[in-house]
Amino acid sequence: MLLGSQRVRFTAYPVAGKGHKAVIVCPGGSYFWHDMVSEGDSVGRWLQRNGIVAFVLRYRTAYVPAFVSHYRLVFRGNRYPDAQDDLRDALRYVRHHAAEYGVDTTQIGVMGFSAGGHLVMSAAELFPRAEWPAFIVPVYPVVTMEEPWVHKRSRRGLLGDSRTRNKVLRDSLSLERHVPEGCPPVFLVNCEDDPIVDYHNSILLDSALTARHVPHVYLRFHTGGHGFGANSLKGTAECRVWRTKFLEWLKKQ
């Protein structure tokens, strides 16, 4: 579907009735691709089963050719702020069509996994306050663009090959440095044994949220790894309770 000036694609998971909370879901994939199974469809169906209208977003990524080559040293390709623009357009679309989906316009939140977690958190840091989501759910998110905890593949996917050394851009997209006053409530999840995105990313974000007095919950599990999303066959029994904890938290928002 056409949103604004860009073609933004999402899959809707509707719920019968009116006045529902809604979540725009951003799967992970290092800003190069999307995990549409564990972090996309599984998440949408889980939210739908629990009375929450879900929209799984296919935001623009660099895609596999940019991963296997460095053509973005010469050609622009997809890079920041494309994914952020797509999320902003998706929020605008859901708000504009809220009545069609039975959604409460004051209860539209965002949930992202890994690089998608960086994307949804950037909504509060980069979008105008009037366009902020009602709540933000980063799950094992990429947070910083700086050493020693940066996930380098996500940084390359987001910035593009020609801009990975741009200190101003890296600083502006290091989320722990720019949490705004009055930030929407955050539900943050990660695991200490994450082999992909170092768990210190979430510690940085938790510390920044605390310093800014942002209402938030931080669930840090010992085990679970990375990429479990809402897939009941991935992760561990310990980390999979995040879904129950999130639903309990959301009822209070």
Side-chain angles (χ1 to χ4, degrees):
M1 60 189 65
L2 190 65
L3 305 182
S5 61
Q6 302 295 338
R7 184 163 296 277
V8 180
R9 297 176 296 158
F10 62 70
T11 301
Y13 296 77
V15 177
K18 298 180 180 180
H20 297 295
K21 295 181 179 182
V23 175
I24 296 173
V25 179
C26 296
S30 304
Y31 281 113
F32 275 105
W33 47 75
H34 303 103
D35 177 357
M36 296 303 295
V37 179
S38 296
E39 299 171 356
D41 181 67
S42 294
V43 178
R45 294 185 184 281
W46 159 61
L47 293 170
Q48 184 185 49
R49 288 195 301 270
N50 286 279
I52 302 163
V53 181
F55 301 88
V56 177
L57 180 64
R58 286 184 177 271
Y59 56 91
R60 278 172 290 174
T61 63
Y63 299 114
V64 175
F67 175 68
V68 299
S69 72
H70 293 271
Y71 77 85
R72 290 185 303 161
L73 284 169
V74 179
F75 302 102
R76 181 189 187 280
N78 289 340
R79 64 185 189 185
Y80 173 79
D82 295 344
Q84 281 72 17
D85 287 345
D86 291 348
L87 177 56
R88 188 175 178 185
D89 275 349
L91 280 162
R92 289 171 175 174
Y93 181 91
V94 173
R95 288 182 179 121
H96 185 72
H97 295 270
E100 298 174 27
Y101 290 99
V103 167
D104 180 347
T105 56
T106 68
Q107 292 294 318
I108 301 170
V110 291
M111 174 184 290
F113 301 83
S114 194
H118 181 277
L119 174 57
V120 298
M121 191 65 214
S122 69
E125 302 195 9
L126 301 174
F127 298 177
R129 185 177 294 257
E131 297 192 69
W132 280 358
F135 54 88
I136 304 171
V137 187
V139 183
Y140 41 83
V142 173
V143 173
T144 189
M145 292 291 118
E146 299 289 359
E147 280 77 10
W149 313 122
V150 61
H151 183 242
K152 293 181 180 179
R153 187 169 65 225
S154 292
R155 181 172 66 187
R156 179 183 164 220
L158 177 63
L159 273 60
D161 296 278
S162 64
R163 303 190 298 177
T164 55
R165 295 177 182 270
N166 186 317
K167 292 183 179 181
V168 173
L169 195 57
R170 281 163 47 163
D171 176 84
S172 68
L173 294 171
S174 291
L175 303 178
E176 76 278 10
R177 300 181 179 182
H178 305 284
V179 172
E181 296 285 352
C183 179
V186 175
F187 188 90
L188 173 62
V189 180
N190 81 323
C191 302
E192 292 178 354
D193 67 346
D194 190 327
I196 306 298
V197 176
D198 192 286
Y199 77 96
H200 286 90
N201 276 259
S202 289
I203 292 177
L204 290 173
L205 182 56
D206 172 55
S207 296
L209 293 168
T210 300
R212 287 290 189 177
H213 307 290
V214 176
H216 70 287
V217 169
Y218 176 28
L219 298 183
R220 189 169 97 203
F221 300 108
H222 295 296
T223 64
H226 191 89
F228 46 84
N231 189 323
S232 296
L233 300 179
K234 290 187 175 183
T236 61
E238 179 194 11
C239 77
R240 286 194 290 268
V241 303
W242 83 267
R243 286 177 281 170
T244 300
K245 297 293 186 181
F246 165 71
L247 294 173
E248 293 172 351
W249 176 82
L250 187 60
K251 289 179 181 178
K252 302 174 183 177
Q253 302 309 307

